[in-house]
Amino acid sequence: MRMDVNKGLPATESRRDLHVWIIENLRMAPVPEKAYGNFFEEHCYIVLHVPQSLKATQGACSDLHYWAGKEAGAEAQDAAEAFVQQLQETLGGATVQHREAQGHESDCFRSYFRSGIIYRRGGLASALTHVETNLYNIQRLLHVQGRKHVSAAEVELSWSSFNKGDIFLLDLGKVMIQWNGPETSIPEKARGLALTCSLRDRERGGRAQIGVVDDEVEATDLMRIMEAVLGCRVGNVPATRPDKSVNQLQKASVRLYHVCEKDEDLVIQELATCPLTQDLLWEEDYYILDQGGFKIYVWQGRLSSLQEKKAAFSRALRFIQAKGYPTYTNVEVVNDGAESASFKQLFQSWSTKQRGNKNFGRLSKSIQVRPDVGKLQSQPELAAQLRMVDDASGKVEVWCIQDLGRQPVDPERHAQLCAGNCYLVLYTYQRMGHVQYILYLWRGHRATTRDVKALNCNAEELDLMYRGALVQEHVTMGSETPHFLAIFQGQLVVFQGHTGHDGKEQPAPATRLFHVQGTDSCNTRTVEVPARASALNSHDIFLLVTASICYLWFGKGCSGDQREMARTAVSAVSGENKETVLEGQEPPGFWEALGGLAPYPSNKRLPEDVSGFQPRLFECSSHMGHLVLTEMVFFSQEDLDKYDIMLLDTWQEIFLWLGEAASKWKKEAVDWGQEYLKTHPAGRSPATPIVVIKQGHEPPTFTGWFLAWDPYKWTNDQSYKEVVDGSLGAMPAICEITAVSTGFSRPAPSQLPPGSRLGRHDPDGQNGQERSQALVDGRVCSGGKRPSGLSVASAWEPLLHTPSLSPLSEQELNDFQLSRGPSNGGADPLTLQTLKGSQDGSGNELQPGPKAGDASTNSHHSSPRPTINGSLPRERLMHQAVEDLPEGVDPARKEFYLSDSDFQEIFGKSKEEFYSMAKWRQQQEKKQLGFF
């Protein structure tokens, strides 16, 4: 079939930021929103993301992806690439193009699907039926992987698919059992459970029970259900599969190539390796940037030909083949002036003004005029941009590290530090009525390793004294932050040498030279430099101290603000007896004190241009001793979880955020921050300040980088264990079925009807295979095989089956008796109908469960799930106390019992949309509307 790309593109809704199309019969067909995140392996997809929050911003960049399933044909992939090119031409130059392959998607692509990505076997039916809710005749096994970006792939319904290091979800319709490998971490389990609950809410309308197997010995009932479906497990679960994560060291290698065609041959010439500079890119040319074989970037100059631009992906694929890289290597195509944040950060610096780009690139967040610091309290975004938590009027305490301990510094000498020492500077301030702290760990250039270790140890002692409330900022001499300088009111002086054991400095030489830099109290510092003429600079101010007089030397290029600030800054060093000297009018004694006249630089030191960089948020982990980062593109507070260690790179500072459950990894977090800087392909300065923040103690310099910040978001946050043990937490209606609360017993052979079994022999014996199950010690054994998957009515619920196996019949299911297990209160058993209903496609109702507050409800269950058949009038649910609710209504989910039409009218959205929201947002809306 020929593809026709001239019939026009499907219309997009301006209110939505994400659009997904599937390539069906070589045409683009829109995928409904409720099916977003589901991808069939035999198809290709196109995904367009237009950030709505940046829509009003001139030159906001869009992202255009084409995704290829691992079973997709070449014709479909060619069609997807052609459609992407057509969309690109329609959208204009401010669009970044991506090539994605199943299982190897970019962080940008994965960030769109917060609940996770589901890879579905097979292809979509020609009728384009999409994911349907309330379908229960399903039987499949999902292999769940990932930490922040979770994905689940349908695998063979067999124990051979399992391994110890991953999570597997056995989906039986009304029963969903999450099996956690013994080597999985708590964050992985929690995110796997979030995916499971998302599937339940989106595909079952919340009407499914979830069981969690953390320990097979304790979850005997769930294991029996799994064995009834998968068969008897033979041997141990296979070992954890090797982690193929790409660490930062691998990403550190970057090479830039110039690309052109000569006599129909592709000529690729290596230009440079890291660190790269922006001036290497010429606007009339075309380049390939290879990031260690991990990712390939194609940069298209604004004056490059249209033919070159259309050949971007094909050239990248030819480059990948020539290099011997895997075919799934990610490709990103960027246009001159519309580069992605990840591309820009591969260069030492990036200026949006370099080529006069006015129509492309996100707006710079740099402050062009002197702002009002009085607004810092109410405007965290301003605080983040200025790197100032307040106006620096708080309380200051300083300690010098001596003999592995800390000695308090006289307040008169707070602003006088020595390059051979380390200092702790504690700043206390109030924000919104709460006392907050910042502990600066300042390290001089000449400090010993022993002193640096003592600095960190003493900082930990102080943090314990303040019960973990200190924000710790690691500062290196010469790279002090604006707020650090501001608390000394521009009078910070750093002397060479060090403070001795008695707290006194080494004897000062007769002649000393100080370099004064800065124009206001937030950027001024005075640093002692070698007393020789070559240390001078025509654009700066210097103070020369001799035994008899002090010279304040003004270079020809210094400004009035510099001169005014210098007169105040040097008062602690010069005293009253100082003489002002202008460059070119120096007295003979000036040069004699410096050892004679010598050449010195006259070039102006320009501040680092960070206007082209956007902040980036990463999740941190470690593999084989190296840092592994996962980026959260288009990040928000929702990306911060109590189990996380997150790294926020604002280019001028590195923030390390530690979730409540990850605070013990603080030392490792600092090491990761330092490794991040050392391995960064742009050659970042290792002196870049590193700020360590604990959950609940975020300063405005951190929260201001987020579009919105809710300080109460984690007030009622629950741990993974609390969620599994029965609390509603962020996933409502979780019901863990445990051996304590339920028993799953099988009838003895003597109790079975004559000729009956707990499985059926397939009389057809397809593919020459024959299955025969028998009872062995009360367990179902079938040579490790499992019963087949049941047929699925919708193409978006694809069939998983082995032809030689047939599903258990209703009579065979009746042979499984779910009896009450031993428990303190005798919880209601999991009824037979639950398992039967999961294989009954017409069953849309749940069986009645225990009433809220019933004494028979065991603590190992979650709060009772909704048990009312049908819906209830809104007046019986809104603003009703627990005791006034109809029998069987779960008070924690009153809104669930509304009819779909009432729910839509009251909440302004469907139930599926509501339950896909964050828990705190659900609670907030329920409080406002009378359902809390």
Side-chain angles (χ1 to χ4, degrees):
M1 180 183 296
R2 282 187 69 188
M3 178 189 61
D4 186 359
V5 295
N6 298 315
K7 293 202 179 235
L9 297 170
T12 59
E13 297 179 47
S14 59
R15 68 176 178 84
R16 283 167 40 198
D17 58 355
L18 190 65
H19 306 269
V20 182
W21 296 273
I22 185 172
I23 305 302
E24 174 72 5
N25 295 327
L26 303 185
R27 294 186 181 180
M28 290 174 64
V31 175
E33 284 190 76
K34 66 179 181 180
Y36 283 6
N38 290 269
F39 295 90
F40 282 94
E41 296 178 344
E42 292 182 5
H43 285 270
C44 290
Y45 291 77
I46 293 176
V47 176
L48 171 64
H49 181 261
V50 182
Q52 294 298 300
S53 60
L54 295 173
K55 194 169 183 181
T57 302
Q58 187 180 23
C61 291
S62 301
D63 288 277
L64 183 60
H65 309 253
Y66 86 83
W67 180 94
K70 65 180 182 181
E71 303 296 334
E75 197 174 22
Q77 294 189 45
D78 291 342
E81 185 177 339
F83 279 123
V84 163
Q85 183 60 44
Q86 188 184 7
L87 276 168
Q88 165 72 21
E89 294 172 6
T90 302
L91 294 166
T95 304
V96 179
Q97 301 173 64
H98 308 258
R99 174 183 176 269
E100 312 283 357
Q102 179 181 339
H104 303 277
E105 296 85 358
S106 64
D107 287 337
C108 180
F109 184 87
R110 290 176 175 269
S111 294
Y112 305 141
F113 310 102
R114 290 182 180 273
S115 298
I117 294 175
I118 310 296
Y119 304 124
R120 315 197 82 136
R121 281 184 169 180
L124 181 62
S126 59
L128 286 176
T129 305
H130 295 281
V131 170
E132 297 183 17
T133 56
N134 304 332
L135 278 177
Y136 300 106
N137 61 334
I138 184 170
Q139 200 173 84
R140 62 178 176 175
L141 181 64
L142 296 176
H143 181 192
V144 182
Q145 292 177 288
R147 291 173 58 87
K148 269 299 185 184
H149 299 314
V150 181
S151 63
E154 292 181 354
V155 293
E156 182 185 357
L157 204 57
S158 167
W159 284 112
S160 62
S161 300
F162 286 65
N163 71 75
K164 294 180 179 179
D166 289 327
I167 293 169
F168 294 83
L169 175 62
L170 181 60
D171 185 1
L172 302 175
K174 283 190 178 178
V175 175
M176 305 174 79
I177 302 176
Q178 177 176 318
W179 183 93
N180 297 327
E183 296 177 9
T184 53
S185 64
I186 290 181
E188 289 173 321
K189 295 175 183 179
R191 284 157 195 160
L193 187 56
L195 173 66
T196 301
C197 292
S198 174
L199 283 173
R200 175 200 62 189
D201 294 338
R202 287 188 298 166
E203 299 187 10
R204 310 294 144 72
R207 300 179 179 90
Q209 286 187 309
I210 295 176
V212 179
V213 178
D214 271 324
D215 188 331
E216 292 185 356
V217 175
E218 295 183 0
T220 54
D221 300 318
L222 293 175
M223 289 303 299
R224 286 172 182 167
I225 296 175
M226 294 183 69
E227 288 176 346
V229 178
L230 301 172
C232 180
R233 189 170 70 203
V234 177
N236 296 323
V237 176
T240 301
R241 295 175 183 175
D243 188 350
K244 297 181 181 180
S245 301
V246 180
N247 61 50
Q248 287 306 105
L249 192 59
Q250 293 170 281
K251 295 181 182 180
S253 172
V254 293
R255 295 180 182 275
L256 184 68
Y257 298 85
H258 178 259
V259 182
C260 64
E261 284 193 0
K262 185 177 182 180
D263 298 330
E264 298 185 357
D265 291 328
L266 190 65
V267 179
I268 300 175
Q269 179 184 5
E270 183 175 338
L271 288 184
T273 185
C274 57
L276 302 177
T277 55
Q278 188 181 1
D279 57 9
L280 291 168
L281 305 175
W282 290 20
E283 58 185 6
E284 64 271 13
D285 285 336
Y286 183 97
Y287 301 87
I288 285 179
L289 195 156
D290 179 2
Q291 190 178 8
F294 157 74
K295 189 169 187 175
I296 302 299
Y297 293 89
V298 178
W299 186 87
Q300 303 176 137
R302 67 175 64 231
L303 300 181
S304 59
S305 68
L306 180 61
Q307 182 181 0
E308 285 181 316
K309 292 178 180 179
K310 287 185 175 181
F313 283 118
S314 60
R315 286 183 172 182
L317 292 178
R318 290 169 66 182
F319 178 84
I320 289 171
Q321 292 171 357
K323 284 287 188 177
Y325 295 153
T327 56
Y328 55 73
T329 302
N330 190 263
V331 177
E332 182 174 308
V333 180
V334 297
N335 291 306
D336 184 1
E339 296 84 359
S340 64
S342 58
F343 179 84
K344 294 174 185 177
Q345 282 207 7
L346 298 176
F347 293 78
Q348 274 189 315
S349 63
W350 193 275
S351 173
T352 56
K353 304 173 185 177
Q354 181 160 324
R355 293 187 177 86
N357 298 341
K358 296 180 181 179
N359 298 321
F360 301 110
R362 296 176 174 89
L363 290 183
S364 166
K365 288 195 173 184
S366 61
I367 302 300
Q368 303 299 329
V369 295
R370 184 171 296 181
D372 182 3
V373 294
K375 296 180 179 179
L376 295 174
Q377 291 279 344
S378 59
Q379 297 182 15
E381 182 178 357
L382 182 64
Q385 293 169 6
L386 294 177
R387 304 166 70 193
M388 297 276 293
V389 296
D390 68 352
D391 60 2
S393 60
K395 178 184 176 183
V396 181
E397 299 172 79
V398 182
W399 294 269
C400 179
I401 301 301
Q402 296 176 8
D403 295 330
L404 305 182
R406 58 183 182 275
Q407 298 296 325
V409 175
D410 185 342
E412 295 287 329
R413 298 174 63 84
H414 272 180
Q416 300 177 26
L417 310 180
C418 291
N421 290 95
C422 293
Y423 294 84
L424 289 170
V425 180
L426 178 62
Y427 181 76
T428 306
Y429 65 107
Q430 285 205 353
R431 179 175 174 80
M432 303 300 183
H434 298 283
V435 177
Q436 298 192 8
Y437 309 92
I438 298 178
L439 180 64
Y440 291 99
L441 289 75
W442 188 90
R443 184 176 70 231
H445 281 329
R446 298 185 177 182
T448 65
T449 303
R450 182 169 175 265
D451 284 341
V452 173
K453 289 182 178 179
L455 175 72
N456 294 324
C457 290
N458 280 273
E460 288 307 304
E461 289 181 10
L462 278 177
D463 193 38
L464 287 174
M465 290 172 57
Y466 285 84
R467 300 183 179 182
L470 303 184
V471 172
Q472 298 184 28
E473 180 156 358
H474 296 253
V475 179
T476 302
M477 172 183 162
S479 299
E480 294 86 0
T481 62
H483 187 262
F484 182 87
L485 297 174
I487 62 179
F488 298 114
Q489 302 174 12
Q491 298 187 20
L492 177 68
V493 181
V494 181
F495 297 91
Q496 296 298 324
H498 67 273
T499 301
H501 301 296
D502 54 0
K504 297 181 180 179
E505 297 178 24
Q506 291 177 315
T511 302
R512 308 176 82 172
L513 182 65
F514 295 87
H515 185 187
V516 185
Q517 293 175 288
T519 57
D520 58 40
S521 62
C522 297
N523 62 16
T524 299
R525 64 173 67 84
T526 302
V527 180
E528 184 177 359
V529 295
R532 52 177 178 261
S534 59
L536 300 174
N537 187 295
S538 295
H539 283 85
D540 288 330
I541 298 173
F542 290 82
L543 177 70
L544 178 61
V545 180
T546 67
S548 58
I549 192 172
C550 293
Y551 296 98
L552 186 58
W553 184 86
F554 291 153
K556 291 180 179 179
C558 67
S559 66
D561 287 339
Q562 284 179 282
R563 290 192 291 268
E564 182 180 349
M565 199 66 213
R567 290 187 176 95
T568 303
V570 301
S571 58
V573 181
S574 64
E576 296 296 329
N577 186 20
K578 61 176 177 287
E579 179 181 335
T580 300
V581 176
L582 301 180
E583 182 180 6
Q585 302 178 19
E586 300 86 355
F590 180 86
W591 296 117
E592 290 175 6
L594 292 176
L597 181 63
Y600 56 84
S602 59
N603 59 305
K604 187 175 182 179
R605 295 182 179 91
L606 296 174
E608 183 183 17
D609 185 2
V610 298
S611 63
F613 296 116
Q614 291 89 41
R616 302 175 69 192
L617 182 69
F618 303 88
E619 180 204 31
C620 300
S621 60
S622 180
H623 177 61
M624 303 291 289
H626 292 291
L627 174 65
V628 176
L629 296 179
T630 302
E631 186 173 5
M632 308 290 108
V633 187
F634 320 110
F635 63 84
S636 69
Q637 189 183 0
E638 288 297 311
D639 292 311
L640 306 180
D641 185 82
K642 67 190 302 178
Y643 300 104
D644 292 335
I645 297 177
M646 305 297 290
L647 186 151
L648 177 66
D649 182 3
T650 66
W651 197 261
Q652 292 180 303
E653 284 177 296
I654 301 296
F655 292 92
L656 287 160
W657 184 89
L658 278 65
E660 179 185 354
S663 58
K664 64 180 179 180
W665 299 99
K666 183 163 49 172
K667 182 182 182 304
E668 288 78 2
V670 175
D671 292 341
W672 288 346
Q674 293 169 347
E675 182 181 349
Y676 174 77
L677 293 171
K678 289 176 182 176
T679 59
H680 200 285
R684 301 282 288 278
S685 168
T688 303
I690 296 176
V691 188
V692 181
I693 302 167
K694 295 191 193 119
Q695 179 181 337
H697 300 283
E698 297 83 3
T701 47
F702 176 79
T703 62
W705 293 109
F706 294 77
L707 289 177
W709 188 270
D710 180 6
Y712 305 105
K713 178 181 182 294
W714 299 293
T715 302
N716 298 315
D717 199 22
Q718 293 180 306
S719 68
Y720 165 77
K721 186 177 185 303
E722 289 171 333
V723 172
V724 171
D725 282 349
S727 300
L728 290 176
M731 289 79 66
I734 295 173
C735 180
E736 183 186 33
I737 313 160
T738 63
V740 178
S741 59
T742 66
F744 187 90
S745 62
R746 307 176 188 276
S750 60
Q751 297 174 324
L752 292 175
S756 65
R757 299 169 183 258
L758 289 184
R760 286 190 309 197
H761 169 63
D762 181 1
D764 295 331
Q766 298 177 18
N767 297 331
Q769 297 180 6
E770 188 176 84
R771 177 178 67 111
S772 179
Q773 293 184 327
L775 283 172
V776 179
D777 297 330
R779 304 181 69 183
V780 179
C781 295
S782 58
K785 297 181 181 178
R786 49 86 183 166
S788 71
L790 300 177
S791 61
V792 181
S794 168
W796 283 91
E797 303 282 8
L799 172 66
L800 283 177
H801 74 283
T802 301
S804 63
L805 304 184
S806 57
L808 298 176
S809 68
E810 183 173 341
Q811 177 59 43
E812 291 165 341
L813 285 171
N814 281 325
D815 291 336
F816 290 96
Q817 299 174 356
L818 297 172
S819 62
R820 187 184 305 276
S823 63
N824 297 334
D828 287 353
L830 173 68
T831 64
L832 168 65
Q833 186 63 34
T834 303
L835 184 56
K836 284 176 59 182
S838 69
Q839 303 190 30
D840 179 6
S842 62
N844 289 327
E845 298 178 354
L846 294 180
Q847 297 301 309
K851 181 180 177 181
D854 196 322
S856 66
T857 303
N858 189 275
S859 62
H860 289 270
H861 277 284
S862 68
S863 297
R865 58 182 173 85
T867 58
I868 300 295
N869 294 328
S871 58
L872 292 172
R874 64 177 72 184
E875 58 270 12
R876 298 190 64 187
L877 299 169
M878 295 177 68
H879 306 292
Q880 296 294 322
V882 175
E883 60 272 14
D884 297 328
L885 290 172
E887 185 175 356
V889 170
D890 180 357
R893 296 189 74 204
K894 291 188 285 187
E895 77 288 348
F896 182 88
Y897 302 90
L898 292 169
S899 66
D900 290 343
S901 59
D902 281 351
F903 194 99
Q904 182 73 39
E905 181 180 343
I906 295 171
F907 285 85
K909 58 179 68 70
S910 67
K911 290 182 180 179
E912 287 78 8
E913 291 173 324
F914 178 78
Y915 289 124
S916 66
M917 292 166 49
K919 178 62 179 177
W920 66 274
R921 289 191 182 276
Q922 294 180 30
Q923 302 284 41
Q924 191 176 49
E925 289 197 14
K926 286 162 65 173
K927 287 178 181 179
Q928 293 173 351
L929 298 172
F931 288 91
F932 190 71

